[in-house]
Amino acid sequence: PPLPDMETQMTMSAKMIDRRTSTPKGNHSYGPFFLEYSLLAEYNLLQKQKLPGVYVIPSSETSLCWFGIIFLRQGIYQEGIFRFKILIPEMYPDGDCPRLVFDHSVYHPLVDPKTHELDVKRLFVKWKRNVNHIWQILSHARRCFYKIDTKDPWNPDAADKYENSIEEFKEEARACVLER
């Protein structure tokens, strides 16, 4: 097919520019297109990591939400199956760190008992483009079930039981696993 004339090309390119993120010096931002490309690159990078027991798929409704599941095969949370969502900020990859929120309550020092959100800020104080990646969040989520960190907990009760009464902690963790 023939190439569109210059006027048509300019009109098409103007439609691609996101006015909310363009700069005063010109319309340099391709907002939604860059976001989609970045997320596709992140998903491809995640697939190459092959994290054992972790499966993720982007939502069919929005690329800013990914659904996932973690299967745990050993340790305190053995036989645990935990579903979660990764919520990606609109300004990704320049914005804040993506959030990982479990679908159900998870008894763990790093999981908020009310919101079910995993503390990923301890690893990514400031999210940096091309340095930090979503697969690193997933790796942290998997690892936190095997190496339990009680420093600066989001669930102080779980941290206290892990430190002072490991048997009670194991009972609570087991109950959490069996709820699913």
Side-chain angles (χ1 to χ4, degrees):
L3 288 173
D5 60 32
M6 185 57 76
E7 174 108 11
T8 306
Q9 287 182 23
M10 293 301 283
T11 304
M12 288 170 53
S13 66
K15 288 179 184 176
M16 286 193 268
I17 295 170
D18 186 350
R19 301 273 181 236
R20 293 171 294 148
T21 59
S22 62
T23 64
K25 293 184 179 179
N27 297 325
H28 302 288
S29 174
Y30 293 92
F33 299 99
F34 179 71
L35 175 65
E36 293 291 327
Y37 176 80
S38 295
L39 291 174
L40 181 60
E42 280 290 335
Y43 189 73
N44 286 334
L45 193 58
L46 168 64
Q47 296 302 312
K48 290 177 184 170
Q49 295 304 314
K50 298 181 180 167
L51 298 171
V54 179
Y55 303 93
V56 178
I57 188 166
S59 167
S60 62
E61 294 175 13
T62 174
S63 58
L64 297 175
C65 178
W66 295 5
F67 297 105
I69 190 165
I70 296 177
F71 294 94
L72 301 169
R73 297 184 176 94
Q74 56 190 343
I76 294 174
Y77 293 90
Q78 185 173 353
E79 299 175 12
I81 301 171
F82 299 103
R83 295 179 189 278
F84 62 87
K85 291 182 197 102
I86 295 181
L87 305 171
I88 301 163
E90 286 186 25
M91 297 303 293
Y92 186 85
D94 295 321
D96 202 15
C97 178
R99 297 171 40 225
L100 189 144
V101 181
F102 291 101
D103 288 358
H104 300 284
S105 177
V106 176
Y107 191 76
H108 192 283
L110 301 183
V111 178
D112 186 302
K114 292 183 179 109
T115 64
H116 310 214
E117 183 174 351
L118 176 68
D119 178 11
V120 294
K121 289 283 192 180
R122 66 182 51 230
L123 288 180
F124 309 103
V125 177
K126 173 101 172 96
W127 188 260
K128 297 176 189 150
R129 176 198 295 205
N130 298 328
V131 174
N132 302 127
H133 300 283
I134 294 173
W135 73 265
Q136 293 167 326
I137 293 173
L138 296 170
S139 178
H140 167 65
R142 182 179 176 277
R143 190 178 331 108
C144 79
F145 286 105
Y146 297 110
K147 291 189 176 188
I148 297 173
D149 182 7
T150 58
K151 185 179 169 192
D152 299 323
W154 280 17
N155 184 342
D157 177 59
D160 182 57
K161 283 186 181 170
Y162 184 78
E163 292 286 330
N164 301 315
S165 180
I166 192 71
E167 290 307 315
E168 282 185 52
F169 179 85
K170 286 180 180 179
E171 286 176 27
E172 293 277 0
R174 191 75 195 142
C176 169
V177 166
L178 296 174
E179 274 182 22
R180 308 299 156 261

